[in-house]
Amino acid sequence: MTAIDPTAHLTAEQIEELGRELDAIRDEVIADRGEKDAAYIRKVISAQRTLELVSRGVLLFSIFPPAWVLGTAGLSVAKIMDNMEIGHNILHGQWDWMRDPKIHSTTWEWDHVSPADQWKHSHNELHHTYTNVIGKDNDLGYGIMRVDEDQKWHPFHLGQPLWNFLNACFFEYGIAAYDLELGKNLNKRRRKNPEFRARAKAVGRKIRKQVLKDYVIHPLLSGPSFLPTLAATFTANLVRNVWSHSVIMCGHFPEGVQVFERRSIKGETRGQWYLRQMMGSANISGSKAMHFMTGNLSHQIEHHLFPDLPSNRYAEVAVKVRALFEKYELDYVTGPLPKQVFSAWHRVVRLSLPNKPNKPNNKPTVKTPDREPELVAV
C-alpha cells in the first residue's frame, strides 16, 4: 500500500501556474537588489573577520579559563558565520551581481577542508538540481544512510545513527569525502583515474592548509597557551560542524519531507521542479539571530526555490512563498529548531530498522509528467 501523493490534487496547469508565480517572486527580488543588500554582506564579512581576529587574540591567553571560554565561544561563532551566512551563500553566486571580485563565487575560498570548486559542483550543480531524488542527490543521506522505506534494508543500516553522529562531529571532512564521491572511487581502477587523483590532491592540500592554520600556527603563537588554544580550536570546529550538520539535517530530513524516484523527474518542467523543491525541503522557525546563524538556511524551502537570491531577502520571500503553499493546499513543513532536529533524528533511527510487516509505505507516489521538456534548474 502506498501513501497518498500530497500533490495529487494539483492539475498540470496549476503546477505550471505555480511556477510562473514563483518566477514572479524571484524576478521582483532580482529587480530590487541594490546597495542595501551589498552593504549587508560587506558588513557581515567585516563583523566575522573582526570577531575571529579578536577571538584568536583572546586565545593567546587561553591558559586562563575565562579567556579560554570567551575565545572559544567567539571563534565558534566566527567559524559558523564564515561557513553558513558567508561562504555557503557567496559560493551559491548570491552576490555575483555586485561584480566585486573579492566577494564572488569564482574567487571565494572558505574556512573548510572541502575546496570551494568541488563543493560548488556537488552542491550547486547536483544537489540543487536533483533535490531529494534517490540515486541522483548525494546529499540525501550522504551515501551512508537509508533514507526511504522502499530502499532495501541491510544489517549495515543498524549503524546509521552512529554514522550520522560521527558525520556531525567531523562534518567538514564528511563533506570533503562526499564531494570526492569517495565511496564509489575506492576501487583500484577508479583511484587511478587522473581526474579523481587531481581532485583528491586538491582536498589533501586544503586539509593540510586548514590543519596547519588551526592546529599548528595559531597554537604556536599562543606560547604557554599552546595546548589550551589547540583544545579551543578543536572545540570551535566541533561546534561549527555539529551546528552546520543539524541545520542541514533540519532542511532535508524531518518527517513530512518527501523523497522522489528517478523516474518521477523524467521530462520535469519548471513548475514541477519548483514543486519538488517545495515538497523536498523544510524550514526552521525562530528569531532573527537564529536565522542569521543558520546562514538563513532556516528558510530552506525558499533557498531551494531561489538558491541564487541574496540570503538576507529570504525572510520577506518566505511570506509570499507560504501564501502560495496555502493557495495550492500544500504542507509547509516548518517548526522550532529542537522539534526539527528531533524529527530528523527520529527519521534516521526509524529507517535504520527494517520495515514493519504490512506497514503502509510513507512515501507518496509522485506524478510522472505527461510531456518531456528539458530538466530545468535555477
Side-chain angles (χ1 to χ4, degrees), residues 247 249-254 257 277-278 280-286 290-291 294 296-305 314-315 317-319 321-322 325 331-337 339-341:
V247 170
M249 279 260 295
C250 288
H252 299 93
F253 217 60
V257 174
Q277 308 311 309
M278 296 167 76
S281 310
N283 281 8
I284 307 169
S285 59
M290 190 280 301
H291 292 310
T294 66
N296 279 288
L297 292 181
S298 49
H299 302 294
Q300 188 71 246
I301 295 171
E302 290 70 29
H303 173 63
H304 268 270
L305 290 170
Y314 284 147
V317 166
V319 177
V321 169
R322 189 159 191 170
F325 270 81
D331 186 18
Y332 191 85
V333 181
T334 188
L337 182 63
K339 175 187 174 183
Q340 297 297 75
V341 169

Side-chain angles (χ1 to χ4, degrees), residues 107-156:
T107 59
W108 191 266
E109 192 57 73
W110 55 353
D111 181 28
H112 202 285
V113 300
S114 183
D117 59 338
Q118 294 191 30
W119 181 87
K120 285 187 291 184
H121 170 70
S122 61
H123 187 81
N124 296 0
E125 297 177 26
L126 298 181
H127 167 59
H128 275 272
T129 299
Y130 301 110
T131 305
N132 281 27
V133 178
I134 297 175
K136 298 287 284 185
D137 179 10
N138 289 335
D139 268 31
L140 194 60
Y142 297 105
I144 59 174
M145 293 193 297
R146 181 172 179 248
V147 297
D148 182 67
E149 289 90 344
D150 277 355
Q151 288 181 291
K152 186 176 180 180
W153 181 86
H154 296 282
F156 170 82

Side-chain angles (χ1 to χ4, degrees), residues 82-206:
D82 176 273
N83 279 189
M84 304 298 284
E85 182 66 350
I86 300 174
H88 172 272
N89 295 329
I90 290 176
L91 293 177
H92 259 296
Q94 293 181 6
W95 308 97
D96 286 1
W97 58 272
M98 293 166 54
R99 310 263 189 238
D100 184 340
K102 295 181 180 179
I103 309 175
H104 200 277
S105 63
T106 60
T107 59
W108 191 266
E109 192 57 73
W110 55 353
D111 181 28
H112 202 285
V113 300
S114 183
D117 59 338
Q118 294 191 30
W119 181 87
K120 285 187 291 184
H121 170 70
S122 61
H123 187 81
N124 296 0
E125 297 177 26
L126 298 181
H127 167 59
H128 275 272
T129 299
Y130 301 110
T131 305
N132 281 27
V133 178
I134 297 175
K136 298 287 284 185
D137 179 10
N138 289 335
D139 268 31
L140 194 60
Y142 297 105
I144 59 174
M145 293 193 297
R146 181 172 179 248
V147 297
D148 182 67
E149 289 90 344
D150 277 355
Q151 288 181 291
K152 186 176 180 180
W153 181 86
H154 296 282
F156 170 82
H157 292 123
L158 289 171
Q160 76 179 32
L162 176 60
W163 319 146
N164 197 44
F165 173 74
L166 293 174
N167 190 36
C169 294
F170 302 98
F171 193 47
E172 61 176 324
Y173 292 93
I175 291 296
Y178 149 70
D179 290 346
L180 279 173
E181 296 183 288
L182 197 59
K184 77 175 189 179
N185 285 304
L186 285 178
N187 70 68
K188 189 174 181 179
R189 190 177 70 176
R190 283 183 176 270
R191 288 203 310 270
K192 290 184 176 181
N193 180 282
E195 182 183 351
F196 171 74
R197 288 170 67 89
R199 291 191 291 118
K201 287 180 180 179
V203 171
R205 288 193 297 270
K206 190 68 189 295

Side-chain angles (χ1 to χ4, degrees), residues 23 70 127 134 156 205 222 276 285 288 308 315 363:
D23 276 339
L70 184 61
H127 167 59
I134 297 175
F156 170 82
R205 288 193 297 270
S222 298
R276 177 161 53 84
S285 59
K288 288 183 178 180
D308 59 347
K363 182 171 67 63

